Amino acid sequence: MIGMTVQLNGLLGWELLPSQAVTQYASTVQNALINLGTVRGQNYILPEAGTNLLLDGQYGLMNNRQAAAHQANFAAAETMEWINQYTEDGSGISGMWLEIAEFAPPRLSLSVVVKLSDQSQFGTTIPVN
């Protein structure tokens, strides 16, 4: 995969850096994180992209730790499948896990670990408000 660099600035949002390209594994991880936070159907080019993770929180489907973990794991599985469907250069995802880092309704923070096909791992914590 090759893509434009997206700089994630925590709670301040993100910034697109069109003059900088990311390739292979960096692009795969970046695309996975963006897919997790994209509501399915909101991407006009690829309407099947995204997850229902944010909507699940808005609709009250993550009202306890077990429900939040279930919805997060479902979003991770969907993201992994979607990324691997569009990755043709061998830099796909072999595993993806979302674990609850903070559960204090209405705030939820998830730790994301992405294991790539070369067995390297990347991780970060993302807030879901």
Side-chain angles (χ1 to χ4, degrees):
M1 281 188 171
I2 298 174
M4 288 185 274
T5 298
V6 175
Q7 181 174 316
L8 304 174
N9 299 319
L11 296 177
L12 300 176
W14 56 273
E15 182 180 355
L16 184 62
L17 306 173
S19 63
Q20 298 178 24
V22 289
T23 60
Q24 290 197 312
Y25 294 112
S27 179
T28 300
V29 171
Q30 175 179 281
N31 290 337
L33 291 174
I34 291 170
N35 191 73
L36 280 172
T38 300
V39 175
R40 184 175 292 117
Q42 295 296 310
N43 183 327
Y44 298 113
I45 297 170
L46 296 168
E48 71 278 5
T51 68
N52 288 331
L53 186 62
L54 296 176
L55 292 177
D56 292 344
Q58 288 180 331
Y59 296 149
L61 299 177
M62 294 191 282
N63 57 358
N64 61 55
R65 290 182 76 85
Q66 184 177 3
H70 174 75
Q71 299 302 88
N73 286 330
F74 195 70
E78 286 181 320
T79 294
M80 188 173 89
E81 182 179 329
W82 186 82
I83 293 292
N84 288 340
Q85 178 182 349
Y86 288 97
T87 303
E88 298 173 357
D89 65 358
S91 61
I93 298 173
S94 63
M96 185 171 192
W97 300 270
L98 295 176
E99 293 184 11
I100 297 172
E102 177 188 358
F103 184 77
R107 181 171 172 73
L108 171 67
S109 293
L110 299 168
S111 293
V112 181
V113 176
V114 178
K115 187 174 185 179
L116 300 167
S117 57
D118 73 347
Q119 302 307 305
S120 61
Q121 292 189 137
F122 295 89
T124 189
T125 299
I126 55 172
V128 180
N129 298 10

